[in-house]
């Protein structure tokens, strides 16, 4: 069955959508995109995974210096991996923080598997980890999946520090 426009708007941010396998392209609903999950199943129904647009910008090894090290604004970087379940929970928190601290803190996400040089340089051994930088220097980190208050407290410490 296909999602009708009337039922599509009633989806919560954490629901999944079911569609007929005859639709191969992503489905757009209220700024969310649903992408087909590849399956070897011969079933006519497929689950579409929901991806919410991130408020944190992707940073890579190529953009690291200009985005993080040369920034005049404090920087938050979430190191993650695409296979990491807890990273998805941290993504949601970092998106909220990116919106709340817009203009005060630049928020980025870095895929640790795609940029091993950066992860090795900062001795990142596990994901998720959130690292805060000020004036190009690492000054705070929060390891693992923590409540939003942990990240906010670290940000506030960085913002109130004199260096």
């Amino acid at each position: 069955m296909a999602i009708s426009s009337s039922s599509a708007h009633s989806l919560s941010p954490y629901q999944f959508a079911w569609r007929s396998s005859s639709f191969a392209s992503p489905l757009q609903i209220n700024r969310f995109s649903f992408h087909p999950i590849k399956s070897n199943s011969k079933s006519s129904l497929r689950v579409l995974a929901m991806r919410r647009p991130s408020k944190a910008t992707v940073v890579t090894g190529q953009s690291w210096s200009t985005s993080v090290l040369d920034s005049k604004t404090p920087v938050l970087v979430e190191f993650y991996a695409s296979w990491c379940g807890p990273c998805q929970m941290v993504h949601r928190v970092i998106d909220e923080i990116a919106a709340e601290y817009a203009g005060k803190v630049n928020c980025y996400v870095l895929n640790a598997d795609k940029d091993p040089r950066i992860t090795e340089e900062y001795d990142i051994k596990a994901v998720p980890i959130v690292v805060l930088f000020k004036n190009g220097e690492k000054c705070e980190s929060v390891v693992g999946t923590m409540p939003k208050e942990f990240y906010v407290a670290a940000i506030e410490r960085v913002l109130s520090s004199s260096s």
Side-chain angles (χ1 to χ4, degrees):
M1 97 176 125
I3 297 177
S4 70
S5 60
S6 61
S7 66
H9 294 293
S10 65
L11 289 175
S12 81
Y14 305 107
Q15 288 179 322
F16 292 97
W18 292 87
R19 272 182 76 182
S20 166
S21 62
S22 63
F23 298 98
S25 62
L27 170 68
Q28 286 286 130
I29 301 173
N30 290 344
R31 297 177 323 186
F32 297 102
S33 59
F34 296 86
H35 297 267
I37 297 174
K38 292 182 180 160
S39 170
N40 293 334
S41 170
K42 302 238 184 231
S43 169
S44 63
L45 290 178
R46 288 197 275 173
V47 175
L48 299 174
M50 184 178 67
R51 295 185 192 152
R52 172 181 274 174
S54 180
K55 291 181 178 33
T57 306
V58 173
V59 67
T60 64
Q62 291 178 330
S63 60
W64 183 262
S65 288
T66 56
S67 298
V68 178
L69 302 180
D70 297 338
S71 178
K72 301 296 181 214
T73 306
V75 173
L76 177 150
V77 180
E78 175 201 350
F79 289 83
Y80 76 98
S82 59
W83 48 262
C84 171
C87 294
Q88 297 305 313
M89 292 186 290
V90 174
H91 275 326
R92 290 187 207 115
V93 173
I94 299 306
D95 277 348
E96 289 176 23
I97 289 171
E100 292 169 16
Y101 283 86
K104 297 178 187 174
V105 175
N106 295 335
C107 293
Y108 297 102
V109 293
L110 182 130
N111 187 325
D113 291 335
K114 290 185 178 179
D115 285 295
R117 181 183 63 80
I118 301 296
T119 56
E120 289 170 12
E121 185 176 332
Y122 290 93
D123 203 28
I124 306 299
K125 301 291 185 200
V127 291
I129 182 169
V130 173
V131 180
L132 287 133
F133 295 83
K134 189 169 186 179
N135 300 322
E137 297 292 322
K138 178 181 171 181
C139 53
E140 288 273 347
S141 62
V142 179
V143 180
T145 306
M146 297 294 178
K148 182 179 176 180
E149 295 77 28
F150 281 68
Y151 305 105
V152 169
I155 290 167
E156 290 299 329
R157 285 192 299 271
V158 170
L159 290 174
S160 65
S161 69
S162 59
S163 56

